Amino acid sequence: MQINGLAAVVTGGGSGLGAATAAHLAGLGAKVVVADINQAAAEAHAARIGGIGIACDVANAASGEAVFAAARATHGPVRVLVNCAGIGTSGRIVGRDGPLKLDVFERVIRVNLIGSFNMLRLAAAQMADSDPLDESERGVIINTASIAAYEGQIGQPAYAASKGGVVGMTLPAARELARTGVRVVTIAPGLFHTPMVDGLPLDVQTTLAAGIPFPARLGRPSEYAELVEHIVRNRFLNGEVIRLDGALRMPPR
C-alpha cells in the first residue's frame, strides 16, 4: 500500500517503538492515531506529529472500540494497525516467596496477547468494511512479538508465553483475513532502546549490546519503524514473523 493519506492506528504509540512508528508513518503522510494507556503521552506525541491521541487500554473491548470509532470519524477507515502496546513484567515460576502470583501471569497475557487480539479483530472488521485498494487490498495489521517467543529466559514465563501466542496467531489470522484483502505480519524484535531497557544502568546496557553479533549495539526504534514501512508497502509480505535482532539468540539468563 502507498502510505500517504492512509489512516493508521499505533498502540503503545506514546513511547518507545510505538512512538517511533507513529512519527515515521506521519512523516510519510499517514493520518495517525496514537493510542496509549497513558493519555498525556498519547496526546503529547500526537501533537508533535500532527495526529490525534487517545487513551486506550488495549485489553478492554470498549476502549478498543472507541479508538477505531474515533479514527474512522476523524480520518476515515483504518488501513494500518501497528500493535506496539505491551508490558514486560518478569518473575520466576517459583521464586523466593513461592510460586509466581497467578494474577501477575494473567495480566501479562491479558495486555500482550489478548490486547493484541482485541485490536486486531477490531481493525480487521473495519478494514473488511472499507473499499478495496490496489489488488483488492484493504489493510495490513502488524503485531509485535519478541525473540523471547523463541528463546524465553529464566524469569520470563509470562512474557515469553504472551509473545509466543502473538507468533502463533499470525498465520491463522492471515489465512482467515486473506479473503477480505487484509494482511497480518508480526515483528519479533530483539534488544532495542526502549524505556524499559533505557532505564537499566549503562554498564548493563553495554553488556547487553555486546552480546548482539552484528551490529553490536541495541536496536534503534527508527529501525523497527522502517521495517513497519516496508511491510506496509510490500504487498507480498503476509502471514510471516520477522525477527529484527542483529542475529541475537538469547541465553538462558
Side-chain angles (χ1 to χ4, degrees):
M1 285 189 296
Q2 295 302 312
I3 296 172
N4 185 43
L6 295 182
V9 170
V10 181
T11 72
S15 64
L17 301 180
T21 300
H24 190 71
L25 292 175
L28 296 169
K31 297 175 287 187
V32 180
V33 172
V34 178
D36 200 285
I37 192 71
N38 184 329
Q39 183 172 354
E43 292 176 347
H45 191 53
R48 286 191 292 269
I49 67 174
I52 61 172
I54 302 177
C56 178
D57 174 358
V58 295
N60 181 278
S63 185
E65 290 164 6
V67 167
F68 285 98
R72 184 162 205 155
T74 307
H75 295 153
V78 171
R79 300 291 189 172
V80 179
L81 167 66
V82 186
N83 270 322
C84 289
I87 57 175
T89 307
S90 62
R92 290 177 177 244
I93 298 169
V94 181
R96 293 178 180 176
D97 299 323
L100 182 68
K101 299 296 184 184
L102 189 58
D103 60 351
V104 173
F105 188 91
E106 287 178 338
R107 181 169 180 266
V108 176
I109 297 294
R110 182 157 189 81
V111 174
N112 294 356
L113 178 55
I114 296 176
S116 294
F117 178 76
N118 181 39
M119 302 304 280
L120 178 151
R121 72 186 181 94
L122 296 171
Q126 190 170 119
M127 290 172 184
D129 193 41
S130 62
D131 294 331
L133 303 173
D134 292 345
E135 291 193 278
S136 299
E137 185 175 22
R138 286 184 168 85
V140 58
I141 297 167
I142 301 172
N143 293 318
T144 303
S146 166
I147 61 172
Y150 306 100
E151 298 117 34
Q153 295 183 293
I154 292 171
Q156 289 185 326
Y159 185 72
S162 69
K163 296 302 187 177
V166 172
V167 168
M169 74 178 177
T170 302
L171 184 57
R175 285 172 162 171
E176 176 182 338
L177 299 178
R179 61 185 176 82
T180 61
V182 174
R183 294 185 290 121
V184 181
V185 178
T186 294
I187 300 173
L191 296 174
F192 272 70
H193 279 292
T194 62
M196 182 169 58
V197 173
D198 289 344
L200 297 173
L202 186 57
D203 61 329
V204 175
Q205 294 185 42
T206 301
T207 300
L208 290 173
I212 299 173
F214 185 83
R217 59 167 173 80
L218 298 177
R220 299 172 182 137
S222 61
E223 292 168 322
Y224 176 97
E226 288 163 3
L227 180 53
V228 167
E229 176 190 351
H230 181 73
I231 292 169
V232 175
R233 293 190 187 279
N234 191 330
R235 204 170 289 126
F236 210 61
L237 269 175
N238 193 16
E240 185 58 86
V241 180
I242 304 171
R243 291 182 67 128
L244 188 64
D245 59 16
L248 175 65
R249 297 298 181 267
M250 296 293 282
R253 65 185 74 206

